[in-house]
Amino acid sequence: MMDKTTSHDVTVLGCGLMGSALARALAGGGKTVAVWNRTHHRAAALADNTLTPMREIGDAIAAAPLVLACFATYDAALAALEPVPDLTGTTLVNVGTGAPSEVESFGLWAGERGAAYLDGSILGYPEEIGTEGAAVLYSGSETAWAEHGESLTLLTPVSVWVSPDVKIASVLNVGLVGMFLVPAVSAYVEASTFMLGQGVDQALLDAVTPAAFASVQSETARVATAIASGDFTTDQATIVTYAQGLDGAIDVMKEAGLNPRVFAATIENLTAAVDAGLGDLGFAAQTKIITTG
C-alpha cells in the first residue's frame, strides 16, 4: 500500500449517532480524528482538541490513512465517496449495514480506486462503543487489519478480523443479528408477555431465564454441527417430539388474548418438517425445508 502524508490518524465519515460514537472512542483512545458529514453542522458539533471537522470530503479522506465510513446504507456511502476517484494509500473501512452482495460490490469499487478495504459489522449500540458491550467483526484485507487493527480495537476490545472473504462479516451480521438475535428477542417478547400476564413474578422470570439461555447455547452448537455434517440422527428428541409437545400451545396463548406470530411460525416450520417426512430426525433437520433449489 502506498503511504500518504496525513495530518490525522483516522477519518470518520458520517456523524450520526453511531459515527459520532466511533469518532469519540477513537479520540478517547489517543487518536487524532478528522470528521466529515454531508450536513456540516453535525461534524462541527464534535470539534475539540482531537476531533477536527472537515467541510470537504476529499480533504477528510486525504487527512488520514484510515478512513471509517459510517452511513445508513452502502448506496449512501457510494454517493458520499463518489467525488473522490483516487483512494490510493487509504485503508477504507465501511461499518454500515448491507447485504453480502452489496459488500462484495463495494469492496470491488474501493479496490478499483486504489484503497485497501475492510468491511465491518457492528454488533451493539452507540452507547456501547468503546466498551466490551459491543463487538465489531471485520473481513477483507488481512494486511489492512494487521496495519490498523490497533486503532480499530479502540472501538471495542471485542474487535475481530474473521476472514479474507470480504462478505463474511456481513454474513455473520445478517445471520446472528438479523436472523437469530432479533427473532429470538421477539420470541422472548411474546413469551414474557404470556408469562407475566399469567401471574409470573418478574423476579422469578429473571431468575429462571438464564437456564433457558444455557439450553439455547448447547442446542445451537448441536444444530451447527448437524447442518455442517449433514447428520440429523438423534437419540434425544426428534422433530415430531417437539411438534407433539407444542400441539395446542397456540390455542393456550390465544385464549390468553395473545397473537404470537413468532411462535406460530416456529410451529409452522415443525409441522412442515413432519409433513416432509423428517419427523424422526433431530431439530436441525428443519434445514431441509428451509433450503430451496
Side-chain angles (χ1 to χ4, degrees):
M1 186 191 311
M2 182 183 297
D3 291 332
K4 66 179 186 179
T5 302
T6 57
S7 57
H8 292 70
D9 298 316
V10 189
T11 288
V12 175
L13 307 176
C15 300
L17 294 175
M18 183 60 79
S20 296
L22 300 178
R24 291 190 183 102
L26 290 163
K31 301 298 180 181
T32 54
V33 183
V35 290
W36 176 91
N37 197 74
R38 189 178 296 277
T39 52
H40 182 66
H41 72 272
R42 286 192 172 182
L46 295 172
D48 66 16
N49 291 336
T50 55
L51 286 156
T52 306
M54 298 280 185
R55 286 193 175 274
E56 301 297 330
I57 191 168
D59 293 339
I61 290 173
L66 175 62
V67 175
L68 271 68
C70 186
F71 299 96
T73 67
Y74 277 66
D75 285 343
L78 287 170
L81 290 162
E82 190 62 44
V84 187
D86 187 3
L87 298 174
T88 302
T90 297
T91 291
L92 178 62
V93 183
N94 192 348
V95 292
T97 300
S101 59
E102 291 181 291
V103 172
E104 290 182 311
S105 295
F106 193 92
L108 289 172
W109 181 93
E112 289 169 354
R113 282 155 180 77
Y117 183 65
L118 285 168
D119 195 78
S121 288
I122 300 175
L123 284 63
Y125 295 102
E127 67 180 9
E128 296 170 320
I129 296 299
T131 76
E132 294 183 356
V136 186
L137 308 179
Y138 298 93
S139 53
S141 171
E142 186 173 9
T143 301
W145 172 255
E147 184 174 356
H148 296 290
E150 177 268 335
S151 294
L152 294 171
T153 300
L154 294 174
L155 303 179
T156 167
V158 191
S159 295
V160 185
W161 180 81
V162 293
S163 176
D165 184 341
V166 73
K167 71 177 183 296
I168 295 300
S170 176
V171 170
L172 288 168
N173 188 36
V174 170
L176 289 176
V177 178
M179 298 178 68
F180 177 64
L181 178 61
V182 174
V185 176
S186 296
Y188 190 76
V189 170
E190 292 184 352
S192 59
T193 299
F194 170 72
M195 290 181 286
L196 294 171
Q198 293 295 303
V200 173
D201 182 76
Q202 184 186 344
L204 174 60
L205 181 57
D206 291 344
V208 299
T209 295
F213 292 162
S215 295
V216 169
Q217 187 171 12
S218 61
E219 188 62 30
T220 52
R222 283 193 290 270
V223 164
T225 298
I227 293 174
S229 68
D231 181 4
F232 302 108
T233 58
T234 183
D235 59 1
Q236 299 300 310
T238 63
I239 287 177
V240 75
T241 301
Y242 285 100
Q244 290 174 345
L246 295 177
D247 185 41
I250 285 289
D251 293 333
V252 170
M253 297 190 78
K254 288 183 176 179
E255 288 170 4
L258 306 179
N259 184 16
R261 294 180 177 88
V262 178
F263 189 37
T266 300
I267 293 175
E268 180 183 350
N269 272 352
L270 289 169
T271 301
V274 172
D275 292 344
L278 305 172
D280 292 334
L281 298 176
F283 197 84
Q286 290 177 87
T287 186
K288 293 180 175 290
I289 64 165
I290 296 168
T291 305
T292 58

